[in-house]
Amino acid sequence: MAEFSFELDDDQKAVRDWIHGFAADVMRPAAAEWDEREETPWPIIQEAAKIGLYSLDFYAQQYFDPTGLGIPMTMEELFWGDAGIALSIVGTGLAAVGVLANGTEEQIGTWIPQMYGDADDVKVAAFCSSEPDAGSDVGSMRTRAVYDEATDEWVLNGTKTWATNGGIAGVHVVVAVVDPDLGSKGHASFIIPPGTPGLSQGQKFKKHGIRASHTAEVVLDQVRVPGSCLLGSKEKLDERLARARERAKSGGERLKNAAMATFEASRPAVGAMAVGTARAAYEVALDYAKTREQFGRPIIDNQGVAFQLADMRTRIDAARLMVWRASWMAVSGRPFESAEGSMSKLFASETAKQVTAQAVQILGGNGFTREYPVERMHRDAAIYTIFEGTSEIQRLVIARTLSGVQIR
């Protein structure tokens, strides 16, 4: 296992600079347009696919980087470019992580390539967990999956919400209840192949930020999928459910559910997204403060502005270090004994909100207009404290981990 280092090697730096060039030359010039259109930027995704940036091979290389820094480095640079477009490019990754976290080798090899398609026929995928009455409270999930032994099929019914790429995806990964008596421990994940009857898009949401990313409800009405679409295997699921029932009777330790396994794996990556947005806003504010003059001198000459910039950069660097630590721990097989994954997501998300707000303040009236990008960055940053576990849920996870008490 590679030793942890704060210095990227030459290959990593080359990849970082390559992604940064795409973000600067392709994403940023298009950011305002796609934010206004509130549509999936298919031409940008296709451009990313043409150069290999949107592909299974690229993300596999970053995912299996032995230092753990490939994914956070990628996320930071893309989200430095633009959060909405970046989420359209990387949104498929959450579904892919869901398969990697819960699927067999055969399922990984079969379904993940179909999630991306190729440069001539770009596809996206969706991970569907949240429901109208079950966001952070995964134990209240109502979407059911019932096994039909006669046909070796699973039948799914329910409604998912807040699904990135929901309805426009080829492959959907859906978390559903298979044993309602076990609460969140009675969940399993399923692949819904392209064109499966009964799956449809519900409401498409008009959002405050990340508006170039498609977010919608996914309705499942008597959706039938082969038994092979259960991630993992029926045998392993039955064994897991049996253990959960025994532990429930004895009051033993809790088992992780399918959705949480996916979110735990992705939390540092979300932190890296937040770092990218915060860094982008900070750089705009720094440049503005050095060139904007008031009372005959640049506003950065004022401590009130300069000290804000110092605090912004300090928080950004601290957030990046927490993300890198959690990512390195994950790839090294070190357990998050102090909930370091949740810590990284919490601190980076709150940093993005604070830094982008400070950037708007430094730009003053200009920061409040769409003529400058910090207005959009501030709107985009709001999502980081909400999706894939709110800041309140991260604090709950951290507090439970540190105390050993099931705080509610």
Side-chain angles (χ1 to χ4, degrees):
M1 185 60 65
E3 292 297 322
F4 181 82
S5 171
F6 293 109
E7 180 68 25
L8 299 177
D9 63 31
D10 290 342
D11 289 340
Q12 289 171 320
K13 289 178 182 177
V15 171
R16 179 198 62 193
D17 294 345
W18 173 62
I19 300 170
H20 185 84
F22 180 83
D25 298 338
V26 180
M27 295 172 65
R28 281 206 165 179
E33 174 190 351
W34 290 100
D35 178 70
E36 290 286 346
R37 292 175 64 168
E38 299 191 52
E39 297 174 358
T40 300
W42 289 107
I44 310 298
I45 299 174
Q46 188 161 34
E47 287 300 312
K50 285 179 180 178
I51 65 171
L53 181 54
Y54 183 77
S55 70
L56 172 60
D57 288 345
F58 173 74
Y59 285 101
Q61 289 173 12
Q62 303 315 307
Y63 187 86
F64 292 110
D65 181 337
T67 69
L69 302 185
I71 289 295
M73 178 186 67
T74 297
M75 296 299 175
E76 179 176 339
E77 293 304 325
L78 286 175
F79 281 75
W80 172 90
D82 177 68
I85 294 175
L87 192 57
S88 288
I89 293 173
V90 307
T92 294
L94 187 59
V97 169
V99 176
L100 285 169
N102 301 294
T104 65
E105 289 188 8
E106 181 178 359
Q107 289 170 330
I108 292 169
T110 299
W111 294 111
I112 294 183
Q114 294 188 45
M115 294 180 176
Y116 289 93
D118 56 46
D120 295 323
D121 187 19
V122 171
K123 305 291 185 184
V124 294
F127 182 77
C128 307
S129 177
S130 294
E131 298 185 0
D133 297 317
S136 298
D137 181 12
V138 294
S140 297
M141 191 177 293
R142 295 181 181 178
T143 297
R144 290 291 307 276
V146 178
Y147 184 60
D148 185 342
E149 192 169 356
T151 60
D152 183 28
E153 292 179 316
W154 288 90
V155 185
L156 287 82
N157 286 280
T159 299
K160 294 296 181 178
T161 194
W162 309 123
T164 299
N165 297 331
I168 65 170
V171 176
H172 291 74
V173 178
V174 175
V175 182
V177 178
V178 294
D179 188 333
D181 294 334
L182 293 176
S184 62
K185 306 305 174 286
H187 296 174
S189 293
F190 298 86
I191 290 284
I192 313 298
T196 300
L199 184 147
S200 62
Q201 179 183 308
Q203 176 187 5
K204 178 187 174 183
F205 296 103
K206 295 181 74 66
K207 305 188 298 295
H208 175 67
I210 55 168
R211 301 198 301 191
S213 174
H214 176 97
T215 309
E217 290 182 332
V218 174
V219 179
L220 303 130
D221 181 13
Q222 291 295 109
V223 171
R224 302 183 74 94
V225 296
S228 59
C229 286
L230 165 69
L231 288 179
S233 68
K234 181 70 163 55
E235 181 181 2
K236 288 186 177 180
L237 173 63
D238 290 341
E239 291 174 359
R240 178 168 64 80
L241 295 176
R243 290 197 304 271
R245 295 185 190 105
E246 284 300 315
R247 296 189 187 208
K249 289 178 183 177
S250 63
E253 64 184 82
R254 300 189 172 199
L255 295 172
K256 293 178 181 176
N257 64 66
M260 288 300 101
T262 301
F263 290 139
E264 284 186 8
S266 65
R267 277 173 181 159
V270 176
M273 299 174 188
V275 170
T277 299
R279 188 182 115 214
Y282 158 78
E283 290 176 0
V284 173
L286 176 62
D287 182 66
Y288 185 88
K290 290 163 68 175
T291 57
R292 170 69 166 172
E293 291 191 0
Q294 289 287 277
F295 305 104
R297 60 181 183 174
I299 62 173
I300 199 170
D301 285 358
N302 299 297
Q303 285 188 359
V305 173
F307 284 7
Q308 280 195 76
L309 289 161
D311 287 343
M312 291 159 72
R313 176 58 185 267
T314 300
R315 286 188 64 93
I316 291 167
D317 280 15
R320 181 185 297 108
L321 290 174
M322 292 184 74
V323 166
W324 282 18
R325 177 184 68 170
S327 301
W328 169 76
M329 289 178 68
V331 79
S332 302
R334 288 164 168 77
F336 289 159
E337 294 180 351
S338 299
E340 288 87 351
S342 289
M343 283 184 180
S344 70
K345 199 265 185 186
L346 170 65
F347 189 79
S349 297
E350 295 291 342
T351 291
K353 283 188 69 174
Q354 180 175 328
V355 166
T356 55
Q358 287 177 290
V360 170
Q361 189 70 23
I362 288 171
L363 269 68
N366 286 326
F368 200 65
T369 72
R370 296 186 185 181
E371 297 301 313
Y372 287 79
V374 293
E375 176 272 340
R376 184 179 68 253
M377 294 167 183
H378 182 45
R379 286 189 287 106
D380 291 341
I383 193 60
Y384 299 126
T385 62
I386 298 172
F387 73 174
E388 295 195 49
T390 64
S391 286
E392 291 74 21
I393 288 295
Q394 305 309 322
R395 291 185 176 99
L396 185 63
V397 170
I398 295 165
R400 285 178 173 178
T401 303
L402 296 177
S403 67
V405 177
Q406 288 300 310
I407 300 165
R408 301 184 66 83

